[in-house]
Amino acid sequence: MSDQLMQAQAKTISCRYRQDLPILLLVNALIAVLLTLIDERTALVDNLVISNCIGFCIWLCNWAMDRMMGDAWPRPWRMLISTPLGLLAGFALAAALGASNVIAILLHAPSQAWRWVAIAVLISGFASAFFWVLFRAQRDRAELEVQRRHAAEAQQAQTAAQLAMLQAQIEPHFLFNTLANLHSLIARDPALAQIMLEHLNDYLRASLKRTRQSTTCLAEELDLVSALLAINQIRLGERLSYLIRVPAALRGAQLPPLLLQPLVENALQHGIEPAIAGGVIEIEAEKIGTQLCLRVIDSGMGLNLNAPSQSGIGLANVRDRLMYLYEGQATLSIAGNTPSGVVAELRIPFAE
């Protein structure tokens, strides 16, 4: 059971006593009136004391079993135990408070009391069933509230991550570098400048499209990172080469948008650009069991353990999204590559 659900249920239980006490008193009063109407020999005050004692004793037995057993026993079984215990304790408590001693009457003159006791048992059973239904409805409402809150938090995190990534994608640093390269290429290589401008147009259009989608397919994500890599290959020249190895059968796999791109950006920014000789970026995908495994492998600078934040904002956003979207069923691992560089591996549940 999640911590949020336990907290919500604890809050519900604390509120339940205040909300349900008037209901319990009303049910006890109705039972007392009903018993008085059925058997005119009994007094209403006497029945009020007995019904309230029984009601509160059954309530107390349920509370004690809740505290001792938690969810180990189903609630119907606890009701079957707490109802007779509460009845006996209620009769004894009522006698101690001055009401008729029903147990003593039953033992000494069963013919006078058995009908009254049988009615009390039946009514207590119906009352217990009524409160079981009431508690079950309250518990279901608490669970639904936790699920709604969780969904709202996931949506909020998704929106925040997408906005952060959109901001990172069109950050001035990237645009200025690309536009500066375009400016220099226009004079010395107009054809290459035209290609780079087309890649930039594809990249920006795909990025904006992804921010409006809740899910996308791997093929569309590969189109996005291909445009990003093509731009950077023109910008970095021979210092960058890349290879995408994704089977056609996996290109239709569904995944949240903009999940692969931060891994590629991280490889470019922290792996290839700082390396004097540049390097290679490889993108791989395979299905392992019920999971889709995506790897972004670079041969750049490698992990810097002295850096305070090697993964950067983009990878932190990816981890946050995985946590909210998959609840522990997805992972992102960063490890060193041999002989140099980084391997970023993303695993999410496979879906088509």
Side-chain angles (χ1 to χ4, degrees):
M1 182 180 297
S2 68
D3 292 341
Q4 287 181 324
L5 181 56
M6 292 179 66
Q7 291 172 3
Q9 288 186 352
K11 184 179 179 181
T12 301
I13 289 172
S14 65
C15 296
R16 200 171 67 192
Y17 293 119
R18 294 194 298 271
Q19 296 172 355
D20 295 345
L21 182 59
I23 300 176
L24 178 62
L25 292 173
L26 177 61
V27 171
N28 291 340
L30 292 175
I31 292 174
V33 171
L34 181 61
L35 291 174
T36 304
L37 293 175
I38 293 173
D39 189 350
E40 60 183 9
R41 295 172 299 176
T42 59
L44 176 61
V45 175
D46 212 38
N47 288 334
L48 275 174
V49 174
I50 294 173
S51 63
N52 276 293
C53 288
I54 292 174
F56 279 106
C57 284
I58 293 175
W59 182 285
L60 186 61
C61 287
N62 271 304
W63 176 82
M65 294 179 77
D66 271 340
R67 297 297 298 268
M68 290 188 295
M69 300 179 181
D71 293 330
W73 277 24
R75 188 170 289 276
W77 286 104
R78 282 181 279 167
M79 286 285 186
L80 288 177
I81 296 175
S82 61
T83 300
L85 286 177
L87 266 172
L88 292 174
F91 284 140
L93 179 61
L97 294 177
S100 299
N101 191 337
V102 178
I103 297 178
I105 296 173
L106 180 63
L107 292 176
H108 290 89
S111 60
Q112 298 179 14
W114 74 268
R115 188 185 300 275
W116 198 95
V117 172
I119 293 173
V121 170
L122 288 175
I123 293 176
S124 298
F126 282 117
S128 297
F130 165 76
F131 279 104
W132 177 74
V133 173
L134 180 65
F135 295 160
R136 182 63 181 268
Q138 290 173 335
R139 179 174 179 171
D140 290 345
R141 283 200 300 271
E143 291 178 354
L144 183 61
E145 180 62 29
V146 170
Q147 292 173 0
R148 286 176 177 171
R149 191 183 311 159
H150 196 176
E153 290 174 352
Q155 182 62 40
Q156 185 178 9
Q158 175 87 355
T159 302
Q162 288 178 347
L163 289 175
M165 279 186 282
L166 176 60
Q167 183 179 4
Q169 293 153 15
I170 59 175
E171 63 178 351
H173 174 75
F174 171 76
L175 286 178
F176 289 158
N177 281 342
T178 306
L179 292 174
N181 279 270
L182 274 172
H183 183 266
S184 64
L185 283 173
I186 289 173
R188 59 184 172 86
D189 193 340
L192 190 57
Q194 180 68 28
I195 295 173
M196 189 174 191
L197 185 60
E198 291 174 356
H199 288 316
L200 178 61
N201 185 45
D202 293 341
Y203 176 74
L204 292 177
R205 184 169 55 244
S207 297
L208 292 172
K209 180 182 177 183
R210 299 297 185 278
T211 60
R212 300 187 181 97
Q213 296 175 323
S214 59
T215 59
T216 185
C217 66
L218 182 55
E220 292 182 338
E221 285 297 286
L222 292 176
D223 290 342
L224 179 68
V225 297
S226 295
L228 175 65
L229 288 168
I231 292 170
N232 282 279
Q233 191 177 45
I234 294 174
R235 188 168 62 85
L236 298 175
E238 296 180 350
R239 293 179 57 221
L240 171 65
S241 59
Y242 64 92
L243 181 62
I244 298 177
R245 290 194 294 263
V246 176
L250 296 181
R251 289 178 176 264
Q254 297 295 301
L255 71 164
L258 303 175
L259 206 59
L260 180 62
Q261 183 225 28
L263 308 185
V264 177
E265 281 192 337
N266 195 64
L268 283 167
Q269 184 175 355
H270 299 288
I272 303 301
E273 290 190 16
I276 296 175
V280 181
I281 292 179
E282 300 174 71
I283 299 175
E284 298 177 348
E286 66 174 319
K287 185 182 178 186
I288 301 177
T290 59
Q291 290 199 312
L292 174 66
C293 179
L294 300 173
R295 295 189 194 91
V296 178
I297 306 166
D298 73 76
S299 59
M301 291 294 288
L303 293 173
N304 182 3
L305 299 178
N306 296 321
S309 178
Q310 177 68 26
S311 58
I313 297 174
L315 297 188
N317 282 334
V318 170
R319 286 196 170 93
D320 288 343
R321 295 175 73 197
L322 294 180
M323 180 181 67
Y324 284 113
L325 293 173
Y326 295 105
E327 300 180 341
Q329 300 181 46
T331 59
L332 171 62
S333 60
I334 306 294
N337 189 21
T338 303
S340 65
V342 171
V343 178
E345 183 177 279
L346 177 68
R347 293 194 180 198
I348 62 174
F350 180 82
E352 285 185 312

